[in-house]
Amino acid sequence: MANAPLTPEEMKTFNSALEQRILEANQDKTKTKWTKLLPDLMAADVFVVAQVSDKTDAAGGKMLNILMMSDKEGHQIIPFFTSPNRLSILVTPEHKTFNVMKLNTVKLFQSIKGKPCILNPRSPLARVFTPFEMNILAMENADKAGGNK
């Protein structure tokens, strides 16, 4: 995982073309645009508030401690973001800084078991992914989990 700091200009433009397509897909009532967009989202790098844990999984890999938030019904959901600027919705007077990781969407979905995710919460670019959907997308797009783009 390459997590080199982004310049302010890179932060403004990171995934901007992808974000425009997400906005268009959310406005498409037939969901055809989402079908075409999903492979590109799976290949993209996204941002998650997380830190590497000292704990390891069954395969010996380091586990991630990932921030969770509550949805409107009070259920726990994992937020992830297409650009660093979208993280501003998390800022509160008590929490102004976060450990942010950039990682491939497939790798994120593979590392999360049984919890739904929300892409770009509280924005016109929001979309919820169920655990079942994330599992299918991760399996279908495992070849996109390689290197970061």
Side-chain angles (χ1 to χ4, degrees), residues 96-141:
K96 295 180 183 175
T97 60
F98 303 93
N99 292 322
V100 178
M101 295 183 75
K102 178 176 75 169
L103 70 156
N104 170 267
T105 307
V106 172
K107 287 182 180 179
L108 173 65
F109 283 8
Q110 289 171 338
S111 68
I112 298 168
K113 304 288 185 224
K115 292 286 182 192
C117 283
I118 184 165
L119 176 65
N120 298 319
R122 300 183 200 139
S123 83
L125 305 176
R127 184 181 192 282
V128 173
F129 292 87
T130 66
F132 177 78
E133 181 181 27
M134 290 166 29
N135 189 37
I136 297 295
L137 288 169
M139 286 190 304
E140 288 177 347
N141 295 280

Side-chain angles (χ1 to χ4, degrees), residues 38-139:
L38 284 170
D40 293 334
L41 177 62
M42 294 300 104
D45 284 341
V46 293
F47 296 87
V48 63
V49 177
Q51 62 187 31
V52 178
S53 171
D54 292 334
K55 297 179 183 176
T56 56
D57 61 19
K62 293 279 187 180
M63 296 179 74
L64 290 178
N65 290 327
I66 299 176
L67 173 85
M68 298 185 73
M69 57 191 298
S70 295
D71 65 12
K72 292 176 186 172
E73 291 82 34
H75 301 109
Q76 293 291 296
I77 192 162
I78 298 168
F80 70 109
F81 305 87
T82 48
S83 79
N85 291 340
R86 303 234 166 253
L87 289 156
S88 64
I89 67 108
L90 299 176
V91 175
T92 66
E94 301 83 34
H95 299 96
K96 295 180 183 175
T97 60
F98 303 93
N99 292 322
V100 178
M101 295 183 75
K102 178 176 75 169
L103 70 156
N104 170 267
T105 307
V106 172
K107 287 182 180 179
L108 173 65
F109 283 8
Q110 289 171 338
S111 68
I112 298 168
K113 304 288 185 224
K115 292 286 182 192
C117 283
I118 184 165
L119 176 65
N120 298 319
R122 300 183 200 139
S123 83
L125 305 176
R127 184 181 192 282
V128 173
F129 292 87
T130 66
F132 177 78
E133 181 181 27
M134 290 166 29
N135 189 37
I136 297 295
L137 288 169
M139 286 190 304

